[in-house]
mmCIF file of all heavy atoms in Angstrom:
data_model
loop_
_atom_site.group_PDB
_atom_site.id
_atom_site.type_symbol
_atom_site.label_atom_id
_atom_site.label_comp_id
_atom_site.label_asym_id
_atom_site.label_seq_id
_atom_site.Cartn_x
_atom_site.Cartn_y
_atom_site.Cartn_z
ATOM 1 N N LEU A 122 13.069 -9.654 -14.186
ATOM 2 C CA LEU A 122 13.412 -10.346 -12.953
ATOM 3 C C LEU A 122 13.103 -9.521 -11.712
ATOM 4 O O LEU A 122 13.110 -10.043 -10.599
ATOM 5 C CB LEU A 122 14.921 -10.684 -12.946
ATOM 6 C CG LEU A 122 15.425 -11.607 -14.055
ATOM 7 C CD1 LEU A 122 16.943 -11.709 -13.992
ATOM 8 C CD2 LEU A 122 14.789 -12.987 -13.939
ATOM 9 N N LEU A 123 12.850 -8.236 -11.897
ATOM 10 C CA LEU A 123 12.653 -7.346 -10.758
ATOM 11 C C LEU A 123 11.253 -7.479 -10.174
ATOM 12 O O LEU A 123 10.268 -7.561 -10.904
ATOM 13 C CB LEU A 123 12.896 -5.891 -11.174
ATOM 14 C CG LEU A 123 14.308 -5.608 -11.698
ATOM 15 C CD1 LEU A 123 14.383 -4.196 -12.268
ATOM 16 C CD2 LEU A 123 15.338 -5.793 -10.589
ATOM 17 N N ARG A 124 11.194 -7.483 -8.861
ATOM 18 C CA ARG A 124 9.904 -7.549 -8.188
ATOM 19 C C ARG A 124 9.292 -6.151 -8.114
ATOM 20 O O ARG A 124 9.983 -5.170 -7.895
ATOM 21 C CB ARG A 124 10.072 -8.083 -6.765
ATOM 22 C CG ARG A 124 10.439 -9.548 -6.684
ATOM 23 C CD ARG A 124 10.446 -9.997 -5.249
ATOM 24 N NE ARG A 124 11.376 -9.212 -4.447
ATOM 25 C CZ ARG A 124 11.349 -9.151 -3.124
ATOM 26 N NH1 ARG A 124 10.417 -9.789 -2.455
ATOM 27 N NH2 ARG A 124 12.244 -8.440 -2.465
ATOM 28 N N HIS A 125 8.020 -6.084 -8.263
ATOM 29 C CA HIS A 125 7.254 -4.853 -8.071
ATOM 30 C C HIS A 125 7.613 -3.777 -9.106
ATOM 31 O O HIS A 125 8.595 -3.871 -9.828
ATOM 32 C CB HIS A 125 7.439 -4.297 -6.660
ATOM 33 C CG HIS A 125 7.251 -5.294 -5.572
ATOM 34 N ND1 HIS A 125 6.135 -6.090 -5.501
ATOM 35 C CD2 HIS A 125 8.045 -5.645 -4.523
ATOM 36 C CE1 HIS A 125 6.239 -6.875 -4.440
ATOM 37 N NE2 HIS A 125 7.385 -6.644 -3.842
ATOM 38 N N SER A 126 6.822 -2.767 -9.133
ATOM 39 C CA SER A 126 7.044 -1.617 -10.000
ATOM 40 C C SER A 126 7.362 -0.403 -9.144
ATOM 41 O O SER A 126 6.815 -0.244 -8.049
ATOM 42 C CB SER A 126 5.783 -1.340 -10.829
ATOM 43 O OG SER A 126 5.824 -0.039 -11.368
ATOM 44 N N THR A 127 8.244 0.463 -9.644
ATOM 45 C CA THR A 127 8.562 1.679 -8.892
ATOM 46 C C THR A 127 7.387 2.645 -8.871
ATOM 47 O O THR A 127 7.421 3.633 -8.137
ATOM 48 C CB THR A 127 9.786 2.391 -9.500
ATOM 49 O OG1 THR A 127 9.543 2.663 -10.883
ATOM 50 C CG2 THR A 127 11.030 1.519 -9.369
ATOM 51 N N PHE A 128 6.353 2.358 -9.648
ATOM 52 C CA PHE A 128 5.180 3.238 -9.656
ATOM 53 C C PHE A 128 4.425 3.219 -8.328
ATOM 54 O O PHE A 128 3.526 4.030 -8.114
ATOM 55 C CB PHE A 128 4.236 2.878 -10.802
ATOM 56 C CG PHE A 128 4.781 3.229 -12.158
ATOM 57 C CD1 PHE A 128 4.753 2.311 -13.201
ATOM 58 C CD2 PHE A 128 5.325 4.481 -12.410
ATOM 59 C CE1 PHE A 128 5.261 2.625 -14.450
ATOM 60 C CE2 PHE A 128 5.827 4.810 -13.653
ATOM 61 C CZ PHE A 128 5.803 3.880 -14.679
ATOM 62 N N VAL A 129 4.768 2.293 -7.452
ATOM 63 C CA VAL A 129 4.130 2.279 -6.128
ATOM 64 C C VAL A 129 4.729 3.354 -5.229
ATOM 65 O O VAL A 129 4.156 3.671 -4.180
ATOM 66 C CB VAL A 129 4.271 0.898 -5.452
ATOM 67 C CG1 VAL A 129 3.609 -0.178 -6.295
ATOM 68 C CG2 VAL A 129 5.730 0.547 -5.179
ATOM 69 N N LEU A 130 5.865 3.925 -5.616
ATOM 70 C CA LEU A 130 6.509 4.957 -4.798
ATOM 71 C C LEU A 130 5.854 6.318 -5.033
ATOM 72 O O LEU A 130 5.566 6.685 -6.177
ATOM 73 C CB LEU A 130 8.002 5.046 -5.143
ATOM 74 C CG LEU A 130 8.845 3.810 -4.796
ATOM 75 C CD1 LEU A 130 10.252 3.972 -5.345
ATOM 76 C CD2 LEU A 130 8.883 3.593 -3.289
ATOM 77 N N PRO A 131 5.621 7.083 -3.981
ATOM 78 C CA PRO A 131 4.994 8.401 -4.118
ATOM 79 C C PRO A 131 5.797 9.310 -5.049
ATOM 80 O O PRO A 131 7.021 9.405 -4.928
ATOM 81 C CB PRO A 131 4.999 8.941 -2.677
ATOM 82 C CG PRO A 131 5.056 7.719 -1.813
ATOM 83 C CD PRO A 131 5.891 6.726 -2.572
ATOM 84 N N GLY A 132 5.108 9.969 -5.959
ATOM 85 C CA GLY A 132 5.741 10.916 -6.863
ATOM 86 C C GLY A 132 6.359 10.307 -8.098
ATOM 87 O O GLY A 132 6.694 11.032 -9.054
ATOM 88 N N SER A 133 6.520 8.995 -8.133
ATOM 89 C CA SER A 133 7.202 8.359 -9.264
ATOM 90 C C SER A 133 6.383 8.432 -10.551
ATOM 91 O O SER A 133 6.931 8.596 -11.641
ATOM 92 C CB SER A 133 7.532 6.903 -8.936
ATOM 93 O OG SER A 133 6.348 6.169 -8.682
ATOM 94 N N THR A 134 5.079 8.328 -10.423
ATOM 95 C CA THR A 134 4.206 8.356 -11.602
ATOM 96 C C THR A 134 4.287 9.699 -12.315
ATOM 97 O O THR A 134 4.451 9.777 -13.535
ATOM 98 C CB THR A 134 2.755 8.063 -11.194
ATOM 99 O OG1 THR A 134 2.685 6.779 -10.589
ATOM 100 C CG2 THR A 134 1.833 8.114 -12.401
ATOM 101 N N GLU A 135 4.177 10.769 -11.543
ATOM 102 C CA GLU A 135 4.216 12.110 -12.128
ATOM 103 C C GLU A 135 5.590 12.407 -12.717
ATOM 104 O O GLU A 135 5.712 13.023 -13.783
ATOM 105 C CB GLU A 135 3.859 13.153 -11.071
ATOM 106 C CG GLU A 135 3.930 14.601 -11.546
ATOM 107 C CD GLU A 135 3.079 14.875 -12.780
ATOM 108 O OE1 GLU A 135 2.030 14.209 -12.960
ATOM 109 O OE2 GLU A 135 3.468 15.752 -13.577
ATOM 110 N N LEU A 136 6.645 11.970 -12.029
ATOM 111 C CA LEU A 136 8.001 12.184 -12.536
ATOM 112 C C LEU A 136 8.191 11.497 -13.883
ATOM 113 O O LEU A 136 8.697 12.099 -14.835
ATOM 114 C CB LEU A 136 9.024 11.652 -11.532
ATOM 115 C CG LEU A 136 10.497 11.699 -11.983
ATOM 116 C CD1 LEU A 136 10.943 13.142 -12.177
ATOM 117 C CD2 LEU A 136 11.398 10.993 -10.973
ATOM 118 N N ALA A 137 7.765 10.243 -13.980
ATOM 119 C CA ALA A 137 7.908 9.498 -15.234
ATOM 120 C C ALA A 137 7.108 10.153 -16.348
ATOM 121 O O ALA A 137 7.598 10.292 -17.480
ATOM 122 C CB ALA A 137 7.460 8.057 -15.030
ATOM 123 N N ARG A 138 5.873 10.555 -16.046
ATOM 124 C CA ARG A 138 5.034 11.170 -17.065
ATOM 125 C C ARG A 138 5.667 12.450 -17.589
ATOM 126 O O ARG A 138 5.719 12.695 -18.798
ATOM 127 C CB ARG A 138 3.648 11.472 -16.485
ATOM 128 C CG ARG A 138 2.620 11.918 -17.529
ATOM 129 C CD ARG A 138 1.445 12.630 -16.882
ATOM 130 N NE ARG A 138 1.869 13.873 -16.245
ATOM 131 C CZ ARG A 138 2.106 14.998 -16.913
ATOM 132 N NH1 ARG A 138 1.996 15.046 -18.239
ATOM 133 N NH2 ARG A 138 2.483 16.083 -16.268
ATOM 134 N N ARG A 139 6.171 13.288 -16.670
ATOM 135 C CA ARG A 139 6.785 14.547 -17.072
ATOM 136 C C ARG A 139 8.037 14.316 -17.917
ATOM 137 O O ARG A 139 8.247 14.988 -18.942
ATOM 138 C CB ARG A 139 7.127 15.360 -15.819
ATOM 139 C CG ARG A 139 7.678 16.757 -16.117
ATOM 140 C CD ARG A 139 7.777 17.601 -14.863
ATOM 141 N NE ARG A 139 8.739 17.048 -13.899
ATOM 142 C CZ ARG A 139 8.397 16.473 -12.754
ATOM 143 N NH1 ARG A 139 7.120 16.363 -12.405
ATOM 144 N NH2 ARG A 139 9.324 16.004 -11.928
ATOM 145 N N GLU A 140 8.849 13.368 -17.508
ATOM 146 C CA GLU A 140 10.076 13.098 -18.257
ATOM 147 C C GLU A 140 9.780 12.483 -19.614
ATOM 148 O O GLU A 140 10.476 12.770 -20.599
ATOM 149 C CB GLU A 140 10.989 12.188 -17.429
ATOM 150 C CG GLU A 140 11.550 12.895 -16.206
ATOM 151 C CD GLU A 140 12.498 12.041 -15.389
ATOM 152 O OE1 GLU A 140 12.489 10.793 -15.571
ATOM 153 O OE2 GLU A 140 13.243 12.608 -14.575
ATOM 154 N N HIS A 141 8.754 11.646 -19.692
ATOM 155 C CA HIS A 141 8.368 11.076 -20.981
ATOM 156 C C HIS A 141 7.992 12.173 -21.968
ATOM 157 O O HIS A 141 8.403 12.157 -23.131
ATOM 158 C CB HIS A 141 7.200 10.112 -20.807
ATOM 159 C CG HIS A 141 7.578 8.801 -20.201
ATOM 160 N ND1 HIS A 141 6.679 7.980 -19.580
ATOM 161 C CD2 HIS A 141 8.791 8.160 -20.132
ATOM 162 C CE1 HIS A 141 7.306 6.898 -19.145
ATOM 163 N NE2 HIS A 141 8.568 6.987 -19.459
ATOM 164 N N VAL A 142 7.193 13.126 -21.506
ATOM 165 C CA VAL A 142 6.750 14.218 -22.387
ATOM 166 C C VAL A 142 7.949 15.037 -22.860
ATOM 167 O O VAL A 142 8.028 15.425 -24.035
ATOM 168 C CB VAL A 142 5.732 15.113 -21.661
ATOM 169 C CG1 VAL A 142 5.434 16.372 -22.482
ATOM 170 C CG2 VAL A 142 4.436 14.352 -21.401
ATOM 171 N N GLU A 143 8.903 15.298 -21.976
ATOM 172 C CA GLU A 143 10.095 16.061 -22.354
ATOM 173 C C GLU A 143 10.895 15.333 -23.429
ATOM 174 O O GLU A 143 11.373 15.949 -24.394
ATOM 175 C CB GLU A 143 10.963 16.317 -21.123
ATOM 176 C CG GLU A 143 10.348 17.279 -20.113
ATOM 177 C CD GLU A 143 11.177 17.378 -18.839
ATOM 178 O OE1 GLU A 143 12.078 16.531 -18.638
ATOM 179 O OE2 GLU A 143 10.929 18.299 -18.039
ATOM 180 N N ILE A 144 11.038 14.016 -23.259
ATOM 181 C CA ILE A 144 11.767 13.223 -24.252
ATOM 182 C C ILE A 144 11.051 13.252 -25.600
ATOM 183 O O ILE A 144 11.670 13.445 -26.659
ATOM 184 C CB ILE A 144 11.921 11.762 -23.769
ATOM 185 C CG1 ILE A 144 12.811 11.703 -22.529
ATOM 186 C CG2 ILE A 144 12.497 10.881 -24.879
ATOM 187 C CD1 ILE A 144 12.766 10.368 -21.810
ATOM 188 N N LEU A 145 9.741 13.098 -25.565
ATOM 189 C CA LEU A 145 8.971 13.072 -26.811
ATOM 190 C C LEU A 145 9.007 14.419 -27.522
ATOM 191 O O LEU A 145 9.049 14.484 -28.756
ATOM 192 C CB LEU A 145 7.525 12.658 -26.527
ATOM 193 C CG LEU A 145 7.321 11.256 -25.940
ATOM 194 C CD1 LEU A 145 5.844 10.896 -25.919
ATOM 195 C CD2 LEU A 145 8.111 10.212 -26.716
ATOM 196 N N ARG A 146 8.989 15.483 -26.766
ATOM 197 C CA ARG A 146 9.082 16.808 -27.383
ATOM 198 C C ARG A 146 10.419 16.988 -28.086
ATOM 199 O O ARG A 146 10.488 17.561 -29.188
ATOM 200 C CB ARG A 146 8.893 17.896 -26.325
ATOM 201 C CG ARG A 146 7.443 18.068 -25.868
ATOM 202 C CD ARG A 146 7.339 19.056 -24.732
ATOM 203 N NE ARG A 146 5.943 19.268 -24.336
ATOM 204 C CZ ARG A 146 5.569 19.848 -23.195
ATOM 205 N NH1 ARG A 146 6.507 20.285 -22.339
ATOM 206 N NH2 ARG A 146 4.293 20.001 -22.918
ATOM 207 N N ALA A 147 11.490 16.487 -27.479
ATOM 208 C CA ALA A 147 12.809 16.586 -28.110
ATOM 209 C C ALA A 147 12.849 15.744 -29.386
ATOM 210 O O ALA A 147 13.447 16.150 -30.384
ATOM 211 C CB ALA A 147 13.888 16.121 -27.131
ATOM 212 N N ILE A 148 12.212 14.585 -29.344
ATOM 213 C CA ILE A 148 12.144 13.742 -30.542
ATOM 214 C C ILE A 148 11.352 14.458 -31.638
ATOM 215 O O ILE A 148 11.764 14.481 -32.808
ATOM 216 C CB ILE A 148 11.513 12.376 -30.211
ATOM 217 C CG1 ILE A 148 12.456 11.559 -29.320
ATOM 218 C CG2 ILE A 148 11.183 11.600 -31.495
ATOM 219 C CD1 ILE A 148 11.866 10.258 -28.814
ATOM 220 N N LYS A 149 10.233 15.045 -31.272
ATOM 221 C CA LYS A 149 9.399 15.761 -32.250
ATOM 222 C C LYS A 149 10.142 16.944 -32.852
ATOM 223 O O LYS A 149 9.976 17.262 -34.047
ATOM 224 C CB LYS A 149 8.113 16.229 -31.583
ATOM 225 C CG LYS A 149 7.122 16.872 -32.542
ATOM 226 C CD LYS A 149 5.824 17.235 -31.832
ATOM 227 C CE LYS A 149 4.822 17.843 -32.809
ATOM 228 N NZ LYS A 149 3.532 18.178 -32.137
ATOM 229 N N GLU A 150 10.980 17.594 -32.037
ATOM 230 C CA GLU A 150 11.756 18.745 -32.510
ATOM 231 C C GLU A 150 12.975 18.315 -33.331
ATOM 232 O O GLU A 150 13.714 19.143 -33.835
ATOM 233 C CB GLU A 150 12.227 19.574 -31.309
ATOM 234 C CG GLU A 150 11.094 20.259 -30.553
ATOM 235 C CD GLU A 150 11.545 20.776 -29.184
ATOM 236 O OE1 GLU A 150 12.741 20.588 -28.839
ATOM 237 O OE2 GLU A 150 10.704 21.342 -28.469
ATOM 238 N N ARG A 151 13.189 16.996 -33.426
ATOM 239 C CA ARG A 151 14.332 16.410 -34.150
ATOM 240 C C ARG A 151 15.655 16.842 -33.508
ATOM 241 O O ARG A 151 16.680 16.967 -34.189
ATOM 242 C CB ARG A 151 14.317 16.814 -35.624
ATOM 243 C CG ARG A 151 13.030 16.465 -36.341
ATOM 244 C CD ARG A 151 12.810 14.956 -36.380
ATOM 245 N NE ARG A 151 11.568 14.593 -37.076
ATOM 246 C CZ ARG A 151 11.148 13.338 -37.250
ATOM 247 N NH1 ARG A 151 11.860 12.331 -36.777
ATOM 248 N NH2 ARG A 151 10.021 13.074 -37.879
ATOM 249 N N ASN A 152 15.613 17.012 -32.174
ATOM 250 C CA ASN A 152 16.806 17.408 -31.427
ATOM 251 C C ASN A 152 17.420 16.138 -30.819
ATOM 252 O O ASN A 152 17.100 15.746 -29.699
ATOM 253 C CB ASN A 152 16.444 18.415 -30.339
ATOM 254 C CG ASN A 152 17.682 19.042 -29.680
ATOM 255 O OD1 ASN A 152 18.729 18.416 -29.592
ATOM 256 N ND2 ASN A 152 17.529 20.269 -29.228
ATOM 257 N N SER A 153 18.287 15.516 -31.574
ATOM 258 C CA SER A 153 18.836 14.223 -31.187
ATOM 259 C C SER A 153 19.642 14.286 -29.893
ATOM 260 O O SER A 153 19.498 13.428 -29.011
ATOM 261 C CB SER A 153 19.724 13.689 -32.321
ATOM 262 O OG SER A 153 20.262 12.434 -31.993
ATOM 263 N N LYS A 154 20.481 15.284 -29.758
ATOM 264 C CA LYS A 154 21.321 15.404 -28.572
ATOM 265 C C LYS A 154 20.485 15.589 -27.310
ATOM 266 O O LYS A 154 20.729 14.942 -26.279
ATOM 267 C CB LYS A 154 22.281 16.589 -28.737
ATOM 268 C CG LYS A 154 23.244 16.754 -27.573
ATOM 269 C CD LYS A 154 24.217 17.900 -27.822
ATOM 270 C CE LYS A 154 25.185 18.066 -26.645
ATOM 271 N NZ LYS A 154 26.159 19.183 -26.894
ATOM 272 N N LYS A 155 19.487 16.441 -27.393
ATOM 273 C CA LYS A 155 18.631 16.693 -26.232
ATOM 274 C C LYS A 155 17.826 15.452 -25.882
ATOM 275 O O LYS A 155 17.665 15.117 -24.696
ATOM 276 C CB LYS A 155 17.697 17.864 -26.522
ATOM 277 C CG LYS A 155 16.825 18.263 -25.337
ATOM 278 C CD LYS A 155 15.964 19.476 -25.672
ATOM 279 C CE LYS A 155 15.101 19.886 -24.478
ATOM 280 N NZ LYS A 155 14.251 21.072 -24.821
ATOM 281 N N ALA A 156 17.295 14.768 -26.882
ATOM 282 C CA ALA A 156 16.510 13.559 -26.636
ATOM 283 C C ALA A 156 17.354 12.509 -25.916
ATOM 284 O O ALA A 156 16.891 11.851 -24.976
ATOM 285 C CB ALA A 156 15.978 12.998 -27.952
ATOM 286 N N GLU A 157 18.604 12.365 -26.365
ATOM 287 C CA GLU A 157 19.485 11.387 -25.717
ATOM 288 C C GLU A 157 19.778 11.782 -24.273
ATOM 289 O O GLU A 157 19.720 10.943 -23.360
ATOM 290 C CB GLU A 157 20.799 11.261 -26.480
ATOM 291 C CG GLU A 157 21.764 10.294 -25.815
ATOM 292 C CD GLU A 157 22.998 10.000 -26.645
ATOM 293 O OE1 GLU A 157 23.088 10.479 -27.797
ATOM 294 O OE2 GLU A 157 23.878 9.263 -26.135
ATOM 295 N N GLN A 158 20.066 13.047 -24.049
ATOM 296 C CA GLN A 158 20.370 13.503 -22.687
ATOM 297 C C GLN A 158 19.175 13.304 -21.753
ATOM 298 O O GLN A 158 19.339 12.858 -20.608
ATOM 299 C CB GLN A 158 20.775 14.983 -22.717
ATOM 300 C CG GLN A 158 22.126 15.246 -23.373
ATOM 301 C CD GLN A 158 22.426 16.725 -23.522
ATOM 302 O OE1 GLN A 158 21.516 17.576 -23.514
ATOM 303 N NE2 GLN A 158 23.691 17.060 -23.674
ATOM 304 N N LEU A 159 17.992 13.624 -22.230
ATOM 305 C CA LEU A 159 16.790 13.488 -21.408
ATOM 306 C C LEU A 159 16.486 12.022 -21.118
ATOM 307 O O LEU A 159 16.067 11.673 -20.009
ATOM 308 C CB LEU A 159 15.604 14.153 -22.102
ATOM 309 C CG LEU A 159 15.645 15.683 -22.169
ATOM 310 C CD1 LEU A 159 14.515 16.200 -23.073
ATOM 311 C CD2 LEU A 159 15.508 16.294 -20.770
ATOM 312 N N ALA A 160 16.691 11.162 -22.102
ATOM 313 C CA ALA A 160 16.437 9.736 -21.907
ATOM 314 C C ALA A 160 17.419 9.148 -20.902
ATOM 315 O O ALA A 160 17.038 8.335 -20.042
ATOM 316 C CB ALA A 160 16.526 8.998 -23.234
ATOM 317 N N ARG A 161 18.656 9.553 -20.992
ATOM 318 C CA ARG A 161 19.658 9.058 -20.035
ATOM 319 C C ARG A 161 19.336 9.531 -18.620
ATOM 320 O O ARG A 161 19.467 8.764 -17.646
ATOM 321 C CB ARG A 161 21.061 9.493 -20.465
ATOM 322 C CG ARG A 161 21.527 8.842 -21.762
ATOM 323 C CD ARG A 161 22.952 9.239 -22.109
ATOM 324 N NE ARG A 161 23.893 8.687 -21.123
ATOM 325 C CZ ARG A 161 25.019 8.046 -21.447
ATOM 326 N NH1 ARG A 161 25.330 7.841 -22.717
ATOM 327 N NH2 ARG A 161 25.820 7.599 -20.517
ATOM 328 N N ARG A 162 18.909 10.779 -18.494
ATOM 329 C CA ARG A 162 18.523 11.282 -17.166
ATOM 330 C C ARG A 162 17.335 10.500 -16.620
ATOM 331 O O ARG A 162 17.272 10.182 -15.427
ATOM 332 C CB ARG A 162 18.167 12.768 -17.265
ATOM 333 C CG ARG A 162 17.847 13.407 -15.915
ATOM 334 C CD ARG A 162 17.291 14.796 -16.069
ATOM 335 N NE ARG A 162 15.959 14.778 -16.691
ATOM 336 C CZ ARG A 162 15.191 15.855 -16.834
ATOM 337 N NH1 ARG A 162 15.624 17.049 -16.445
ATOM 338 N NH2 ARG A 162 14.002 15.755 -17.390
ATOM 339 N N HIS A 163 16.392 10.194 -17.499
ATOM 340 C CA HIS A 163 15.198 9.431 -17.106
ATOM 341 C C HIS A 163 15.596 8.070 -16.525
ATOM 342 O O HIS A 163 15.041 7.636 -15.497
ATOM 343 C CB HIS A 163 14.311 9.250 -18.340
ATOM 344 C CG HIS A 163 13.089 8.433 -18.114
ATOM 345 N ND1 HIS A 163 12.137 8.747 -17.155
ATOM 346 C CD2 HIS A 163 12.634 7.305 -18.723
ATOM 347 C CE1 HIS A 163 11.164 7.849 -17.190
ATOM 348 N NE2 HIS A 163 11.454 6.958 -18.129
ATOM 349 N N ILE A 164 16.543 7.397 -17.133
ATOM 350 C CA ILE A 164 16.978 6.086 -16.644
ATOM 351 C C ILE A 164 17.763 6.220 -15.349
ATOM 352 O O ILE A 164 17.655 5.366 -14.454
ATOM 353 C CB ILE A 164 17.801 5.345 -17.713
ATOM 354 C CG1 ILE A 164 16.967 5.155 -18.985
ATOM 355 C CG2 ILE A 164 18.277 3.997 -17.177
ATOM 356 C CD1 ILE A 164 15.630 4.463 -18.750
ATOM 357 N N ARG A 165 18.534 7.277 -15.195
ATOM 358 C CA ARG A 165 19.232 7.487 -13.922
ATOM 359 C C ARG A 165 18.234 7.677 -12.787
ATOM 360 O O ARG A 165 18.412 7.156 -11.676
ATOM 361 C CB ARG A 165 20.171 8.697 -14.015
ATOM 362 C CG ARG A 165 21.395 8.460 -14.892
ATOM 363 C CD ARG A 165 22.467 9.528 -14.648
ATOM 364 N NE ARG A 165 22.003 10.865 -15.005
ATOM 365 C CZ ARG A 165 22.116 11.399 -16.223
ATOM 366 N NH1 ARG A 165 22.659 10.688 -17.216
ATOM 367 N NH2 ARG A 165 21.703 12.623 -16.458
#
């Protein structure tokens, strides 16, 4: 239902990419607690 993407905001693309990689690394390391914390921060 939301209009537009936040990717139009300066810096948002790089921030999302960096946070995605951090989350995936935690998943690869099988670090469940860290993956959850990073994902929650990403949504905030």
Side-chain angles (χ1 to χ4, degrees):
L122 299 174
L123 300 172
R124 290 186 302 162
H125 311 309
S126 163
T127 56
F128 290 132
V129 300
L130 294 173
S133 61
T134 300
E135 177 55 30
L136 175 64
R138 189 199 64 79
R139 185 170 64 251
E140 291 182 343
H141 285 159
V142 171
E143 291 174 347
I144 294 167
L145 298 189
R146 285 174 177 165
I148 291 174
K149 185 176 182 179
E150 293 166 0
R151 304 297 180 180
N152 190 330
S153 181
K154 183 177 180 179
K155 184 177 181 180
E157 178 172 355
Q158 290 174 339
L159 290 171
R161 293 183 67 133
R162 184 189 68 174
H163 177 57
I164 301 305
R165 289 196 297 271

